[in-house]
């Protein structure tokens, strides 16, 4: 398995990992600069030469995974019999620098409703390293032609057409997915809010709309849904930055995206 495939496998599993690369080599060493190893919590793929260098790199990589350490590290090794090593002697005679780069679990965002605002928001978020889920009941909004603007996305884009019950997609979403509810139908929005509050593995929940809309939803979630106030408070509405007041779809989308990205940074999502 190539290191690229291994990184993709970790991403698909939503598991953290570390990419280990031989950065520099002076003199004799088991592998040349550029050799790579991908380390997961329980598995590793590839090799940077075996022996003490590889074993120490794997140990440190797994420590970084457990600690959630975001910064890369550079470790230097002297390959001679005068150095005390944790995992045996390597006396090739050279020196090696190994770069450890964390591969965090990629964030996931789900946009329910890919209308004017939802599509503009998708275009912005597609430029981020995300798993981006687009969900709508209307097939004409999810055509290849309409979504072609996302063809060069950095994000991994997943499209879900759900003609009847979009809330069923909630159970399929990865743990920690951040939910943005902005469909064309207030009844659909209400059902999604209720279902999202009943789906424990999700991240934040955001709802687009006015104060009057939220007052109706809040009452319904409490009376018909039976949700306690503390649970209802998980839903953020309105979404977006309060000091951006424009109502054009692209302006709203910029505001919502900025608010979401700020949350990622300030709250460690």
């Amino acid at each position: 398995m190539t290191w690229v495939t291994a990184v993709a496998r970790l991403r698909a599993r939503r598991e953290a990992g570390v990419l280990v690369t031989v950065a520099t080599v002076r003199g004799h060493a088991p592998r040349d600069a550029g050799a790579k190893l991908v380390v997961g919590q329980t598995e590793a793929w590839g090799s940077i030469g075996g022996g003490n260098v590889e074993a120490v790199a794997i140990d440190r990589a797994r420590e970084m995974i457990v600690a959630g350490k975001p910064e890369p590290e550079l470790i230097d090794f002297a390959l001679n019999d005068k150095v005390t090593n944790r995992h045996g002697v390597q006396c090739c005679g050279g020196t090696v620098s190994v770069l450890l780069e964390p591969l965090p679990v990629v964030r996931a965002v789900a946009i329910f409703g890919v209308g004017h605002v939802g599509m503009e928001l998708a275009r912005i978020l597609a430029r981020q390293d995300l798993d981006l889920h687009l969900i709508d009941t209307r097939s004409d909004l999810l055509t290849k032609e309409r979504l072609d603007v996302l063809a060069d996305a950095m994000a991994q884009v997943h499209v879900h057409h759900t003609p009847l019950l979009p809330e069923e997609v909630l159970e399929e979403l990865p743990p920690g997915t951040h939910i943005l509810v902005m469909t064309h139908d207030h009844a659909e929005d209400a059902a999604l809010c209720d279902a999202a509050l009943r789906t424990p593995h999700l991240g934040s929940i955001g709802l687009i709309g006015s104060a009057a809309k939220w007052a109706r939803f809040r009452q319904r979630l409490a009376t018909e849904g039976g949700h306690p106030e503390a649970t209802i408070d998980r839903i953020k509405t309105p979404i977006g930055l309060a000091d951006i007041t424009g109502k054009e779809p692209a302006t709203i989308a910029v505001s919502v995206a900025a608010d979401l990205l700020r949350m990622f940074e300030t709250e460690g999502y």
Side-chain angles (χ1 to χ4, degrees):
M1 180 185 298
T2 67
W3 70 269
V4 175
T5 303
V7 170
R9 174 174 290 188
L10 285 176
R11 176 170 182 143
R13 292 178 179 176
R14 300 191 62 75
E15 295 178 12
V18 175
L19 175 62
V20 182
T21 305
V22 177
T24 63
V25 173
R26 292 183 178 86
H28 296 287
R31 294 293 301 272
D32 294 331
K36 295 184 186 298
L37 165 72
V38 177
V39 181
Q41 285 186 314
T42 59
E43 297 178 87
W45 302 270
S47 176
I48 56 170
N52 181 69
V53 171
E54 185 165 310
V56 169
I58 290 173
D59 286 349
R60 181 56 190 150
R62 290 192 171 136
E63 290 170 358
M64 293 169 73
I65 292 170
V66 171
K69 190 176 187 300
E71 299 85 10
E73 287 187 6
L74 192 65
I75 304 177
D76 297 321
F77 296 90
L79 307 180
N80 61 65
D81 57 7
K82 298 179 177 59
V83 177
T84 301
N85 294 316
R86 192 188 311 172
H87 297 282
V89 175
Q90 277 183 291
C91 49
C92 305
T95 60
V96 172
S97 294
V98 174
L99 178 65
L100 287 78
E101 299 176 87
L103 303 169
V105 176
V106 176
R107 296 183 180 96
V109 177
I111 301 174
F112 284 83
V114 196
H116 297 304
V117 176
M119 189 62 196
E120 293 290 349
L121 181 58
R123 294 176 69 174
I124 297 169
L125 293 180
R127 310 313 306 166
Q128 303 293 317
D129 187 17
L130 299 168
D131 282 339
L132 182 60
H133 296 261
L134 306 179
I135 307 100
D136 209 295
T137 58
R138 300 161 291 177
S139 60
D140 57 309
L141 298 190
L142 299 174
T143 62
K144 179 181 181 302
E145 293 73 21
R146 188 166 186 266
L147 299 181
D148 268 349
V149 294
L150 308 178
D152 62 346
M154 178 183 293
Q156 297 282 339
V157 180
H158 309 270
V159 179
H160 308 260
H161 175 226
T162 54
L164 296 176
L165 299 172
E167 58 268 29
E168 291 181 346
V169 175
L170 292 167
E171 291 288 350
E172 304 171 13
L173 296 173
T177 300
H178 300 278
I179 307 300
L180 295 168
V181 179
M182 51 181 63
T183 80
H184 65 295
D185 184 346
H186 283 199
E188 198 170 294
D189 284 354
L192 282 164
C193 287
D194 177 65
L197 292 177
R198 300 179 191 279
T199 308
H201 73 271
L202 301 176
S204 65
I205 306 168
L207 170 68
I208 201 168
S210 66
K213 174 182 175 180
W214 177 234
R216 291 193 302 272
F217 277 28
R218 189 177 191 96
Q219 182 179 18
R220 180 175 172 182
L221 289 167
T223 56
E224 298 179 27
H227 297 286
E229 292 295 315
T231 300
I232 297 172
D233 285 340
R234 286 187 58 209
I235 298 176
K236 179 181 179 181
T237 186
I239 48 177
L241 301 178
D243 51 351
I244 297 179
T245 59
K247 294 186 177 181
E248 294 80 9
T251 302
I252 296 170
V254 167
S255 174
V256 173
D259 194 21
L260 185 67
L261 295 175
R262 182 174 65 178
M263 180 183 68
F264 289 165
E265 291 189 2
T266 59
E267 298 186 8
Y269 280 94

